[in-house]
Amino acid sequence: MSTKTQVEEAIPTLRTKQYEGLARIYGPLIVVEGTRDVSYDETAEIILPNGELRRGRVLEASEKGVVVEVWGGTTGLEMKSTRVRFLGGPLQIPVSTGMLGRIFNGLGEPIDDIAPPPAEALADVNGAPINPVRRAYPQDLIITGISAIDGMNTLIRGQKLPLFSGSGLPHNEIAAQIARQAHLANSDEEFAVVFVAMGVKHDDAEFFWRSFNESGALSNTAMFLNLADDPPMERIIAPRAALALAEFLAFERDMHVLVIMTDMTNYGEALRELASQRGQIPSRKGYPGYLYSDLASIYERTGILKDRKGSITQVPILTMPNDDINHPMPDLTGYITEGQIVLSRDLFRSGIYPCINVLPSLSRLMKDGIGEGFTRADHPALSNQLYAAYAHVQEVRSLAAVIGEEELSDVDKRYLAFGEAFEHRFINQGEYEARSIEQTLDLGWEILSLLPKEELTRVSEKELEQHYIERPSATEEG
Amino acid sequence: MDQEGYITWISGPVVRAKITGAMRMLEQVEVSSFRLVGEVIGMQEDTATIQVYEETSGIKPGDPVFGTGMPLSVELGPGLVGEIFDGIQRPLEILAARSGNFIQRGIKAPALDRERKWVFTPVLKPGTELQGGEILGTVPESSLIEHRILVPPGLSGTLEWIAPKGEYTVTEVIARVRTPSGSQELTMIQEWAVRRERPFRERLSPNVPLITGQRVIDTLFPIAKGGTAAVPGGFGSGKTVLQQALAKWSNADLIIYIGCGERGNEMTDVLVEFPKLLDPYSGKPLMERTILIANTSNMPVAAREASIYTGISLAEYYRDMGYDVALMADSTSRWAEALREVSGRLEEMPAEEGFPAYLGSRLASFYERAGRVVTLNGNEGSVTIVGAVSPPGGDFSEPVTQHTQRFIRAFWALDKSLAAARHFPAVNWLESYSGYDADVAQWWEDKVSPDWEELRRKTMDILQQEAQLQEIVKLVGPDALPDSQRFVLLVARMIKEAFLQQNAMDPIDAYSVPQKQVALLQLLIHLFERGSQVVAKGAPIGRIQKEVTIWPQLVRAKATIPNDDLSGLDRLREQLDKELNQIERDYDEHQNPS
């Protein structure tokens, strides 16, 4: 662990307040008594007798003393001789374009054995809420080359669109594919990736590093790693430190930043641990009542400002415990983010990659980024029709499971065929296959044409005329 | 402003202070040298508990607390319409001008522009005896709203002087009133404590529907002017799209849209779209009749709690001018969570799921401020409340949905599975209800069509039958049903696709006038009744499905037949009759071989 921190070097003028001895240690929290002039949310440095330094922040301040959350954990802390120093303000980290291509811990300190990049600015890790009147409404579509996303749940620059996954599902591969293939239609603006790992395995972090390396994106990527064996409390700071950098790159350096955060479920666990240690009243499943506001303070740091060129797009990954989408983490996330991409274990088992179940998936910003002038005029109606038809496929399948496929009506049999084709040809694609919007939409029509024309009421007659593929072999009588 | 105490404890949005001056319960205070806005929410011995409406990072014990001598209040006067405020009525445009892209702390900006001049036209003459609530004069506030300057409630006396027609700022004196306690000067501004209901003369029964242009609401689950409705639904079920559709197409005079703990980009969407969209009733930009209150999810949580009261106070003020106001609160669950968070920090004993025991009474005190009333000046006005509810996991048994149901009369339950099939608005017709249907029936029958009640009943009946039949279909498949029941399934599908589904993005379909709603339903019910006759005569369902050719046109009619020319529906009906007659003829012959 570093002993002389960046923060200290950067703000030498701040008066520091130092105290010796703790009044209480419980879980990740310590109580320091007799403090004066220490404010709520102030950064603290905890110095162990052996000289080791940990950091933390004030969660509660009173006349008697303060409660400090220690990010590095309280293991090995000693009551009498531990010293605590208060740095006079909330945690700030040095940020710079030089951080791209580098690897940091959850507090934004470099861990790749190279000298820290020279700071261009200091950024408060908490950020500040964007004034809604200064936001520009996101409308530029990001082409990911993945049909299930581009065609059905379009990602828009400035959007926060999480991947809801389950353990063992290929969310890492999909996120890496998005990072690798994402581009705007005819644009070569500067882009950057900020990657945050919270409590994930070494292998997963390694996978992303390799993937960025292969695609040549590594020099445009800053990685903030808090791995499974790193202090859990650092997970609470890691996404904030990463977003402080993302905001700097987007709003001060005109870059388009894609922030990938994995795994938000681990973040929630850390928050829950902290809340229960503080004896706070739990709401659902032991999570604190402010989980929603807390998650919002991360997810809402996304978007585009009217007077800045850059943007922040977030793709958080979260594994749903027990594949339960109603678990508080995915549930509250879904209420904040602008949609969600939901992975399905059933599709995964059928060997479909990416195993995206489009029915519970949604992109809220899609409506204003597709169609005439953006993608193609038929896109909105086409995706609408694909949704409706695929939803009906589910009904037909459950019916077929009861009465047998043979007993189905002719139309329903064609729905089954449509469903198969939709999953195996439209959703399914290669990990390195990048489809153009045209390809995705044409493929959609091709598959839709497996259904009789009369069933397609979500598309206009004109669109049918233009895109529906008549096939003599598949008439009603067949 | 005097110092009334100093901080002794801070934890997030809640601070405690030692009282040294004359601090009062619910007084608005300013905390520390940052001058953060707060409100006293509890007192015990010499300690006050204060909830702070701005980020408290950096506040420390010993920091001063200043009193304002006033409860948390809003400024009322011309200049509200078309504006966007935060939860404690700070104008966001002004904040942006002062502090840039990010909201900084401790910025004070008056809600109403002090420089702007308004054209005031007096209504009353000097010498008039006046009461609180009377209209002193008028100001054209926007192209749609004539702002009526009201005598503040509670004030009465003789009008000594009133300003002649001319341009005035909101702080210039426009009238002088002689009251028993001396002469009082009035400006166009009045302040109102947000947690107090504004007075009115009497309540009226809510028997005029608020027309929303949304077929499933207006026809099946109507809401009355002055009524209350809740829109519960899990994420992705389309709460916000529905709320925005109501804000766009409702025939209220003024819309107050509260983004309470929701997404920043959604407010931007409204800000970008509303000035461009035209009000279907007046042809003027929607922003000319809209006030926005935005306290997004990452803005301070206590101000989220206040935003609901700020919104309802503005709504009541315009109601008192004689307007029909519709207030959309998206989402009341986030407001309840703000209550929970503050309650938790106060270490109050929690009731269900950590919510405080007073959740129900707080919700009641909000929804009870809706109503259609005779105002103090004898006009009629109303406040309609539509509150979105975001139940965790879409489970309606949670406390906020449950408590809300006690205080609302229209319940539009959104259904995730409908949303997944892109059936929008995803209002579940079996779980939703409206207590206003009987109240507004008279209006529909007088103004639109005498068979309204009957059409509704028949439609609901078909949908109900379908739900039961679907249970059987799930087990044995549709082929096992007799043709008459399969025909019910067919018609129910048509009702869903041609009537209930409505595309908020489609220029024609987004909004249906009452006449079109009734005409569509008449056609569908006619299809059911005529078709049932034909089926009863022995025509197989397969023939009807195949030989009646209007199905696709019928489903598309909502988007192809414009509101101002419904003749297309008559042509569809003619064709339907022709085709059904054709089929029927064959079976007539079978039955009567003459």
Side-chain angles (χ1 to χ4, degrees):
Chain A
M1 261 188 211
S2 62
T3 46
K4 185 86 177 159
T5 67
Q6 289 270 314
V7 175
E8 240 179 317
E9 278 166 18
I11 39 173
T13 49
L14 281 176
R15 195 185 66 212
T16 54
K17 298 149 276 189
Q18 186 168 319
Y19 300 88
E20 193 165 322
L22 309 176
R24 193 178 165 203
I25 305 176
Y26 56 117
L29 305 175
I30 56 173
V31 175
V32 186
E33 287 188 346
T35 52
R36 295 192 57 79
D37 253 9
V38 175
S39 62
Y40 171 70
D41 203 30
E42 190 164 338
T43 309
E45 285 183 344
I46 297 94
I47 304 138
L48 275 62
N50 64 5
E52 185 188 326
L53 185 142
R54 292 181 195 168
R55 284 193 280 167
R57 95 180 136 165
V58 176
L59 292 182
E60 201 176 298
S62 72
E63 286 178 309
K64 272 193 250 152
V66 296
V67 179
V68 177
E69 130 195 65
V70 184
W71 295 322
T74 49
T75 314
L77 250 57
E78 200 250 6
M79 293 287 278
K80 279 225 176 79
S81 53
T82 301
R83 282 176 300 147
V84 183
R85 194 153 55 187
F86 296 94
L87 301 181
L91 181 65
Q92 294 187 308
I93 63 160
V95 289
S96 65
T97 43
M99 290 172 81
L100 293 173
R102 301 290 305 273
I103 303 177
F104 305 88
N105 68 9
L107 302 180
E109 298 160 337
I111 52 171
D112 49 6
D113 299 324
I114 315 175
E120 289 167 33
L122 275 177
D124 182 341
V125 293
N126 293 319
I130 298 178
N131 189 326
V133 304
R134 284 300 184 95
R135 281 181 184 270
Y137 191 65
Q139 281 190 312
D140 294 330
L141 140 123
I142 296 180
I143 300 164
T144 65
I146 300 172
S147 292
I149 296 178
D150 293 353
M152 310 292 286
N153 295 288
T154 318
L155 177 64
I156 304 288
R157 184 174 266 183
Q159 184 174 20
K160 39 195 181 289
L161 189 64
L163 283 177
F164 286 2
S165 184
S167 42
L169 298 183
H171 42 263
N172 289 345
E173 285 77 3
I174 297 170
Q177 188 174 5
I178 293 174
R180 191 164 55 232
Q181 296 178 174
H183 65 283
L184 285 196
N186 46 47
S187 157
D188 52 352
E189 287 158 306
E190 271 199 277
F191 84 101
V193 177
V194 172
F195 174 83
V196 197
M198 287 162 282
V200 302
K201 295 189 294 287
H202 276 272
D203 303 356
D204 291 335
E206 174 83 20
F207 167 82
F208 277 101
W209 186 87
R210 251 188 302 121
S211 161
F212 296 142
N213 195 18
E214 274 170 24
S215 63
L218 203 57
S219 59
N220 281 324
T221 302
M223 299 184 85
F224 290 74
L225 302 184
N226 168 274
L227 300 178
D229 53 356
D230 287 334
M233 287 307 121
E234 265 185 40
R235 271 162 224 169
I236 292 175
I237 298 303
R240 295 185 161 83
L243 285 164
L245 173 63
E247 282 169 349
F248 171 78
L249 296 175
F251 303 137
E252 305 296 330
R253 292 292 181 267
D254 295 343
M255 288 180 155
H256 294 287
V257 187
L258 174 66
V259 181
I260 298 177
M261 303 192 286
T262 183
D263 178 329
M264 288 307 291
T265 305
N266 295 338
Y267 171 84
E269 302 268 306
L271 201 67
R272 176 164 65 177
E273 184 183 335
L274 184 65
S276 77
Q277 289 289 353
R278 292 180 69 193
Q280 287 171 330
I281 294 161
S283 57
R284 272 203 311 154
K285 296 210 171 177
Y287 288 95
Y290 51 79
L291 181 61
Y292 176 85
S293 303
D294 187 275
L295 289 175
S297 73
I298 294 175
Y299 296 138
E300 275 290 325
R301 293 169 77 175
T302 314
I304 310 176
L305 298 175
K306 279 181 186 162
D307 59 352
R308 301 295 153 95
K309 285 200 189 114
S311 66
I312 301 178
T313 308
Q314 279 191 23
V315 179
I317 298 171
L318 68 91
T319 50
M320 302 178 280
N322 205 17
D323 291 354
D324 177 12
I325 198 168
N326 292 329
H327 181 277
M329 280 303 291
D331 190 50
L332 293 181
T333 297
Y335 275 120
I336 304 165
T337 53
E338 284 133 357
Q340 64 279 336
I341 303 287
V342 184
L343 305 190
S344 142
R345 204 167 288 280
D346 289 341
L347 289 176
F348 176 64
R349 282 200 211 102
S350 333
I352 288 168
Y353 174 91
C355 51
I356 294 171
N357 183 359
V358 296
L359 293 179
S361 300
L362 169 73
S363 165
R364 291 169 190 272
L365 300 184
M366 176 175 181
K367 61 182 170 67
D368 297 307
I370 62 166
E372 185 118 47
F374 296 96
T375 52
R376 215 168 72 182
D378 56 312
H379 192 169
L382 170 67
S383 75
N384 206 341
Q385 180 68 66
L386 284 169
Y387 264 111
Y390 188 56
H392 186 65
V393 168
Q394 311 304 315
E395 290 169 26
V396 175
R397 280 180 181 169
S398 54
L399 183 60
V402 178
I403 62 170
E405 254 180 62
E406 291 308 306
E407 298 295 314
L408 292 176
S409 69
D410 289 339
V411 173
D412 282 351
K413 281 180 188 154
R414 287 171 72 171
Y415 267 104
L416 280 189
F418 162 81
E420 284 297 298
F422 182 73
E423 288 169 0
H424 285 93
R425 292 172 52 205
F426 188 85
I427 302 285
N428 194 30
Q429 68 181 85
E431 213 181 310
Y432 287 85
E433 181 186 354
R435 292 186 189 148
S436 71
I437 290 284
E438 290 284 321
Q439 281 173 326
T440 291
L441 297 182
D442 289 345
L443 186 58
W445 277 109
E446 196 185 317
I447 290 167
L448 214 46
S449 303
L450 293 171
L451 293 173
K453 224 175 186 176
E454 306 74 57
E455 289 290 310
L456 308 180
T457 51
R458 302 285 181 110
V459 292
S460 72
E461 274 158 8
K462 203 177 114 215
E463 284 159 342
L464 273 180
E465 218 167 276
Q466 276 178 356
H467 301 284
Y468 186 81
I469 304 161
E470 304 274 2
R471 63 193 79 205
S473 59
T475 49
E476 192 101 15
E477 271 64 47
Chain B
M1 210 175 287
D2 297 332
Q3 179 170 346
E4 289 179 348
Y6 60 88
I7 303 286
T8 56
W9 179 87
I10 312 119
S11 170
V14 177
V15 305
R16 290 203 194 107
K18 184 99 160 181
I19 306 169
T20 55
M23 210 182 282
R24 276 179 295 180
M25 183 65 181
L26 294 184
E27 180 177 342
Q28 184 176 338
V29 293
E30 293 185 358
V31 172
S32 94
S33 52
F34 294 119
R35 298 270 179 173
L36 308 182
V37 178
E39 184 182 12
V40 180
I41 55 168
M43 293 178 125
Q44 191 177 13
E45 292 172 19
D46 58 352
T47 301
T49 307
I50 298 167
Q51 72 174 350
V52 183
Y53 294 124
E54 299 179 72
E55 173 60 48
T56 51
S57 172
I59 304 298
K60 48 183 183 287
D63 282 354
V65 177
F66 304 95
T68 63
M70 296 243 309
L72 185 68
S73 304
V74 284
E75 275 189 0
L76 304 171
L80 295 167
V81 174
E83 287 297 318
I84 174 166
F85 299 100
D86 76 353
I88 47 173
Q89 213 204 4
R90 293 184 302 179
L92 285 171
E93 290 286 0
I94 307 289
L95 294 197
R98 298 241 190 109
S99 75
N101 290 323
F102 298 92
I103 296 176
Q104 305 298 339
R105 295 186 295 173
I107 303 175
K108 299 276 173 305
L112 300 177
D113 189 340
R114 295 293 191 267
E115 311 294 318
R116 183 158 172 192
K117 294 219 175 222
W118 299 94
V119 178
F120 173 79
T121 309
V123 170
L124 296 182
K125 295 219 158 48
T128 317
E129 291 296 322
L130 47 76
Q131 301 283 331
E134 261 175 83
I135 299 169
L136 276 170
T138 62
V139 164
E141 187 173 6
S142 79
S143 62
L144 289 173
I145 298 288
E146 178 197 66
H147 196 105
R148 294 159 194 159
I149 307 294
L150 304 175
V151 178
L155 184 91
S156 59
T158 315
L159 185 62
E160 281 184 341
W161 172 81
I162 188 159
K165 181 169 178 168
E167 294 197 340
Y168 303 91
T169 66
V170 286
T171 47
E172 280 178 81
V173 175
I174 46 123
R176 214 164 36 239
V177 180
R178 195 171 58 240
T179 69
S181 56
S183 182
Q184 197 165 340
E185 293 183 331
L186 297 179
T187 66
M188 290 195 270
I189 294 190
Q190 47 181 291
E191 303 224 341
W192 189 258
V194 295
R195 296 185 198 278
R196 268 179 62 206
E197 188 178 8
R198 280 178 67 89
F200 51 83
R201 205 178 282 168
E202 67 175 303
R203 255 180 208 280
L204 296 172
S205 105
N207 53 17
V208 180
L210 181 79
I211 299 300
T212 66
Q214 310 303 303
R215 292 184 293 267
V216 61
I217 290 176
D218 290 350
T219 301
L220 292 190
F221 309 109
I223 181 164
K225 285 183 174 165
T228 49
V231 193
F235 65 84
S237 55
K239 280 185 304 299
T240 301
V241 176
L242 183 60
Q243 286 266 32
Q244 289 190 2
L246 296 181
K248 285 173 196 164
W249 311 122
S250 290
N251 66 345
D253 300 313
L254 184 81
I255 302 288
I256 297 185
Y257 192 94
I258 309 174
C260 173
E262 290 289 310
R263 305 174 182 90
N265 277 334
E266 274 168 12
M267 294 317 293
T268 313
D269 188 12
V270 173
L271 280 173
V272 171
E273 204 179 3
F274 275 35
K276 282 190 253 165
L277 283 174
L278 299 184
D279 172 23
Y281 306 93
S282 64
K284 299 273 172 48
L286 279 175
M287 213 55 201
E288 303 275 299
R289 58 155 209 183
T290 305
I291 301 173
L292 296 174
I293 295 172
N295 208 85
T296 57
S297 55
N298 58 339
M299 283 156 79
V301 69
R304 199 191 293 168
E305 196 264 340
S307 66
I308 291 280
Y309 296 102
T310 300
I312 192 83
S313 300
L314 299 186
E316 286 175 344
Y317 176 59
Y318 282 90
R319 173 202 71 191
D320 291 347
M321 295 179 203
Y323 288 117
D324 290 319
V325 183
L327 178 139
M328 319 286 159
D330 185 13
S331 149
T332 58
S333 292
R334 304 302 162 222
W335 169 74
E337 280 167 14
L339 277 185
R340 173 167 72 184
E341 183 168 344
V342 171
S343 161
R345 307 242 186 208
L346 296 175
E347 291 167 7
E348 291 171 337
M349 183 68 80
E352 293 161 275
E353 295 196 13
F355 286 105
Y358 48 77
L359 173 66
S361 58
R362 290 288 174 88
L363 278 167
S365 70
F366 168 59
Y367 282 108
E368 282 299 295
R369 287 172 78 168
R372 187 164 150 255
V373 304
V374 177
T375 63
L376 293 179
N377 55 43
N379 285 318
E380 270 182 37
S382 68
V383 173
T384 311
I385 299 181
V386 180
V389 184
S390 316
D395 172 12
F396 293 171
S397 67
E398 59 90 40
V400 182
T401 317
Q402 285 300 311
H403 283 294
T404 302
Q405 275 187 285
R406 292 162 50 204
F407 311 116
I408 49 99
R409 282 179 65 195
F411 188 72
W412 304 322
L414 299 186
D415 186 330
K416 254 187 173 175
S417 59
L418 288 176
R422 297 308 189 256
H423 174 121
F424 287 116
V427 176
N428 182 310
W429 47 91
L430 299 175
E431 281 182 64
S432 302
Y433 56 79
S434 167
Y436 298 106
D437 49 358
D439 296 329
V440 301
Q442 199 60 47
W443 184 94
W444 277 87
E445 291 179 3
D446 292 348
K447 309 255 166 157
V448 189
S449 177
D451 57 352
W452 184 74
E453 186 88 82
E454 201 187 322
L455 286 170
R456 286 186 70 236
R457 196 179 43 72
K458 286 177 177 164
T459 310
M460 284 307 287
D461 190 43
I462 295 171
L463 292 169
Q464 183 63 44
Q465 280 187 47
E466 190 237 4
Q468 287 164 355
L469 293 175
Q470 286 293 0
E471 294 297 312
I472 304 172
V473 169
K474 270 187 205 142
L475 295 177
V476 295
D479 290 347
L481 295 179
D483 277 359
S484 60
Q485 295 187 334
R486 289 182 64 188
F487 187 67
V488 173
L489 293 183
L490 175 73
V491 176
R493 182 176 163 193
M494 284 299 133
I495 291 175
K496 285 188 253 176
E497 294 188 4
F499 187 80
L500 297 179
Q501 283 179 15
Q502 192 164 358
N503 185 349
M505 312 299 157
D506 185 278
I508 294 178
D509 196 23
Y511 165 77
S512 277
V513 294
Q515 286 72 14
K516 180 171 164 185
Q517 301 190 20
V518 165
L520 269 172
L521 214 51
Q522 279 168 341
L523 177 58
L524 287 160
I525 295 300
H526 175 71
L527 160 70
F528 178 67
E529 290 176 345
R530 252 321 263 138
S532 295
Q533 288 170 359
V534 177
V535 171
K537 286 188 177 161
I541 187 83
R543 266 197 81 180
I544 293 180
Q545 266 169 333
K546 202 172 287 175
E547 289 175 31
V548 174
T549 58
I550 64 159
W551 309 123
Q553 286 141 280
L554 182 58
V555 170
R556 291 198 189 96
K558 59 192 179 183
T560 52
I561 292 173
N563 279 317
D564 50 8
D565 177 13
L566 301 176
S567 59
L569 288 174
D570 298 334
R571 285 194 293 278
L572 270 182
R573 189 185 181 121
E574 279 163 30
Q575 197 185 336
L576 171 71
D577 281 339
K578 209 169 84 192
E579 289 166 349
L580 282 176
N581 289 342
Q582 190 88 41
I583 301 170
E584 190 181 34
R585 211 165 299 142
D586 291 348
Y587 298 92
D588 277 341
E589 284 160 16
H590 286 295
Q591 279 186 351
N592 313 310
S594 52

